[in-house]
Amino acid sequence: MSTEPQRRRPSAKGAPQPKLPLGDPSDAWNRPLRPVKDLDEVARQYPGRKLSLGEQRKPMEFYGTPEQPNAFSMDSLEFFLVIAQFFREALPLRLILLMIACQKAGGRIPLTQDEMATVLDVARTKVTEALGEIMSHGIVFRVKRGVYQFNPPYSYRVAEFIPGTETMEPEYIKVDQHVTLKEIRADQSLPELVRFPSLEKMRQEIERLRKERADERARRRREDAKRRQNLKAVS
């Protein structure tokens, strides 16, 4: 047997070359570009990869440019959890959500009670009652007529971008949370629960009400059991 390396025979001129399987991504260079209509379909073709797109951000998205971000409030999840358990009526919760939505940079809420009543479609007396209960827990406090302030640890709007008009330049306002906290704590005229907020009293009240309701359910079960025993004894 010859020890010389074997040479590959040249293929016959014009012989057909092997083709890639249909749909193989490596063959994409040989196909004309087609518009993508369904991103899910593209993603399924490459299960091990992540798709990302760069486009102009929409006004309703939760972010803006780093220099002028859209204003969205920072809300404590612990605060949401406590108020969801504490307030048995819907109106205080609706009012808190309205004030979160309407607060400006720095946590100020420029809303009169008449405006709150109009938006929520309830009587002003109901708004006054619900607002008084919310304020009694230090969640918000009154700054002046028609202006309230959120307690920063619960909900706080850091910044807002005010678009310009024909007569006004656009304005970007930012108020850091620690600055507002410092001002509130320095104000001796404010209640202690506002200056040094805590949800502990609301937690204690939640536990008290739960125990009270549990005791009431147990009492009703005992009465029902006693009633059934009496009926059996009579029959």
Side-chain angles (χ1 to χ4, degrees):
M1 180 179 293
S2 173
T3 58
E4 293 182 4
Q6 294 183 357
R7 298 178 181 274
R8 180 179 295 175
R9 292 182 179 180
S11 59
K13 191 174 182 179
Q17 299 295 320
K19 291 186 176 181
L20 292 169
L22 280 175
D24 192 302
S26 302
D27 194 36
W29 300 106
N30 298 327
R31 298 198 302 267
L33 291 175
R34 293 178 299 173
V36 175
K37 295 182 179 179
D38 186 357
L39 289 179
D40 288 334
E41 182 181 347
V42 177
R44 281 191 289 269
Q45 295 179 17
Y46 308 96
R49 295 178 177 271
K50 293 182 179 179
L51 298 181
S52 62
L53 294 175
E55 64 171 346
Q56 184 178 2
R57 292 168 176 172
K58 306 297 187 299
M60 291 301 292
E61 290 179 343
F62 279 39
Y63 43 71
T65 63
E67 296 79 17
Q68 293 181 332
N70 292 337
F72 282 82
S73 64
M74 303 185 303
D75 304 299
S76 164
L77 298 182
E78 180 186 16
F79 167 64
F80 280 156
L81 178 62
V82 170
I83 63 173
Q85 296 174 85
F86 180 83
F87 291 112
R88 308 289 289 183
E89 300 290 332
L91 185 56
L93 291 173
R94 293 175 61 204
L95 186 53
I96 289 172
L97 290 176
L98 174 63
M99 290 189 289
I100 288 175
C102 294
Q103 65 176 305
K104 302 297 182 181
R108 291 293 170 95
I109 310 159
L111 276 179
T112 65
Q113 292 188 29
D114 283 332
E115 290 170 334
M116 296 176 190
T118 299
V119 174
L120 297 178
D121 195 22
V122 294
R124 178 177 170 170
T125 53
K126 295 288 186 182
V127 166
T128 303
E129 182 181 344
L131 184 59
E133 185 177 4
I134 292 168
M135 292 173 64
S136 70
H137 299 291
I139 296 171
V140 300
F141 60 92
R142 186 175 181 270
V143 178
K144 60 182 180 180
R145 181 179 175 83
V147 180
Y148 298 85
Q149 168 73 46
F150 246 115
N151 216 322
Y154 301 148
S155 180
Y156 191 76
R157 187 168 180 172
V158 178
E160 62 177 312
F161 179 65
I162 304 174
T165 63
E166 293 181 358
T167 58
M168 289 179 58
E169 291 292 323
E171 186 178 8
Y172 175 63
I173 302 173
K174 182 179 180 182
V175 184
D176 289 327
Q177 188 184 43
H178 68 88
V179 173
T180 303
L181 272 171
K182 186 177 179 180
E183 292 176 355
I184 291 173
R185 287 176 179 167
D187 190 345
Q188 299 283 341
S189 66
L190 293 173
E192 196 76 5
L193 190 57
V194 170
R195 295 174 61 213
F196 302 97
S198 171
L199 297 172
E200 192 56 37
K201 289 185 179 180
M202 294 182 76
R203 291 194 194 94
Q204 292 172 0
E205 184 66 11
I206 290 168
E207 292 305 316
R208 187 191 69 78
L209 291 173
R210 281 182 171 174
K211 184 179 184 306
E212 188 177 285
R213 288 191 291 269
D215 291 345
E216 178 64 18
R217 288 193 294 268
R219 184 187 66 80
R220 290 179 181 177
R221 284 195 296 268
R222 288 194 298 269
E223 288 181 353
D224 288 343
K226 187 176 181 180
R227 192 180 301 110
R228 285 194 294 270
Q229 287 180 350
N230 291 338
L231 288 174
K232 284 183 180 179
V234 170
S235 60

